[in-house]
Structure formats: C-alpha cells, structure tokens
Amino acid sequence: MPTVEANGARLWYDEAGSGPALLLLHGGLGDSGLWEPVVPFLAERLRVIRTDLRFFGRSTGPAAPWSWHKDTLGLLDELGVERVALVGLSLGGRIALEIALDAPERIGALALVAAALSGHDAAPYSAEQAARYDAAEAEGDADGMMEVDFEVWAPLGANEQMARLWHATPDASPPPEGVYPLGPAGGAARPRLADLSVPTLCVTVTRDPEDFRAVGPLIAAEAPNARHIELDSDHYITLREPELVAGSLLDFLAEVSQSARA
C-alpha cells in the first residue's frame, strides 16, 4: 500500500498513467474511491495521482489539528511534483480552490467538480433533515446519518458502493476528540475570488442542492480566468458519469495547454 509521510500524517496515494501530473482530491462522502471510475480515462494521457485525505480511507494522522492544504502540498513535495493540475470534488474542490489561491505557483490548472466554497452561505439540508442527522449522530447511528446524506446528495438513488465509500469517512469513524481541520492560510475563498489567477473550470451538477449549484456560476463570474459548465447528474457524478467527467476535464486541460504554448 503506497503511502508518504507529510506534516505528521501517513497519506495513502495511488498513481496511474504517465504525462503531465494531475492530482485528484475527493469529496466528503467517501475517500479517493470516488474517483476510481474516472482514473482509467484520464490515465490514457496523464500521470494521475489520487490520495485519501487525512482521516479518510487509508490515511491517518496524530491527535492534533491539521491542514488538508499543507498535507496536499506535502504529498506533492514527497512525489517530486513541483506543478500540477489540481481537480477537486465537493470538499476536495473547496480545498483545491483554497490551495490555488494560497499557492498559485504550484497549480497549472484547476477544476472544481460540484465544489463547496468557503465563505459562501449554503444550507443543503432542510431543517428536518438537519435535525434527523443531528439526532442520529448523537445516538452514534452512522447508518441513520448516511441515510440523510443520501437523501440530499444522491437523489438518483444510492447503492452498496456508495455506502462503502460513505463508511470510509470521518463521519462513520470519527477522529480523536479535539482534532479538527485548520482553514486556509489566506482565509475563506469567497472574498478572494477576484485574486484567482489559475485557469479554472467549474463543473456543477443539475441535481445538487440549489446553494451548491450557485457555486460554479459565482466563481466563473468573479474569477478572471474561470469558466462554468453544468452536467446532468447528482453529487455522485464521478461514479455515475465517469467518462463524461473525464472528457470534460481532458478537454479543459487540452485548452489550457494550448493557451500556454501560444
């Protein structure tokens, strides 16, 4: 099992293909397995790296506050990657955007798929759903928490693969008490979008909650080098439409490469 040590964590990672480096960050509803169906399409042209974020899947760390941002850059350092195309799904999209704002010299291109946005007010759960989730969490009922999550994020239906991925998250196996992720060095991303210099693709999905569907157009409107597309799926688009996701990413990266050579 390939791992690297970065910032005190032991981070699991995987590589496939060869060519320019691309790093995939997963969302909060699973580990790097959320990207697994997409990897074979991307690996035909790229060196594709995926990793489990600290306390997700096979990645671990000590009982102390940590930074997913520093972990990600530390992983790239350990793998000898100075500059990378960075792609983030949901929570991973939020982290990827913050890294691109704080360390733009490390990021050649940025793609955000159904991404969260720090500093953007979002309430994807109804009051009733939030109450049920909180009650299940208080009772230690992981399956009850998962059921509410699937109502919100998987309106097209959930399956056993999604359940296995959900159980690889800190929601299912909480980290030690008092351990929490630190925010980005430069603060929330929403007020800083005008400073985003990295070529950026924002992908929203039609079946996401309204507040999440607003993120892509908002970034595209305020960041000087960003564009937005919408694809027909729910939050599990990387599992439901892997070839469509990969094609959209490859087209975008090809355009960025052409512009860089011009």
Side-chain angles (χ1 to χ4, degrees):
M1 183 173 69
T3 61
V4 299
E5 291 190 15
N7 302 304
R10 182 167 289 277
L11 303 176
W12 179 91
Y13 75 96
D14 181 61
E15 294 194 52
S18 61
L22 178 145
L23 176 62
L24 301 171
L25 299 181
H26 62 79
L29 295 171
D31 60 14
S32 61
L34 287 164
W35 282 111
E36 190 167 352
V38 182
V39 169
F41 299 105
L42 298 175
E44 293 178 2
R45 303 188 199 176
L46 301 165
R47 176 190 177 188
V48 182
I49 306 164
R50 58 190 173 111
T51 183
D52 290 344
L53 296 169
R54 188 187 303 216
F55 295 119
F56 284 81
R58 292 144 288 195
S59 291
T60 60
W66 80 95
S67 166
W68 279 317
H69 314 80
K70 291 182 179 179
D71 284 355
T72 300
L73 294 174
L75 172 71
L76 294 175
D77 290 341
E78 290 295 323
L79 297 180
V81 179
E82 294 185 6
R83 191 169 170 85
V84 72
L86 185 58
V87 181
L89 169 68
S90 191
L91 167 65
R94 190 199 82 194
I95 296 167
L97 173 58
E98 293 162 355
I99 291 171
L101 285 164
D102 288 343
E105 72 281 357
R106 302 295 299 271
I107 312 303
L110 177 68
L112 310 172
V113 181
L117 174 62
S118 56
H120 168 66
D121 289 335
Y125 296 77
S126 69
E128 184 271 337
Q129 288 168 329
R132 281 196 288 122
Y133 188 97
D134 290 345
E137 186 174 30
E139 295 171 3
D141 179 8
D143 286 339
M145 296 159 63
M146 181 178 67
E147 180 180 342
V148 177
D149 272 346
F150 285 163
E151 287 179 16
V152 176
W153 304 112
L156 295 176
N159 56 34
E160 291 184 5
Q161 179 188 21
M162 295 174 188
R164 287 195 302 272
L165 287 166
W166 192 94
H167 279 280
T169 72
D171 288 333
S173 301
E177 189 173 348
V179 174
Y180 55 89
L182 301 172
R190 172 68 178 83
R192 299 194 285 154
L193 291 176
D195 298 327
L196 181 63
S197 58
V198 176
T200 300
L201 174 68
C202 304
V203 180
T204 56
V205 293
T206 56
R207 307 299 182 93
D208 250 356
E210 182 178 356
D211 290 344
F212 263 65
R213 294 199 310 274
V215 168
L218 191 159
I219 296 173
E222 297 195 15
N225 200 10
R227 71 187 76 172
H228 167 248
I229 63 172
E230 185 175 69
L231 301 179
D232 187 18
S233 186
D234 62 15
H235 213 65
Y236 283 91
I237 186 171
T238 56
L239 303 184
R240 301 193 194 278
E241 300 287 351
E243 190 169 4
L244 178 61
V245 172
S248 299
L249 294 175
L250 290 170
D251 288 347
F252 165 65
L253 293 173
E255 291 177 17
V256 172
S257 179
Q258 282 183 338
S259 296
R261 290 196 300 266

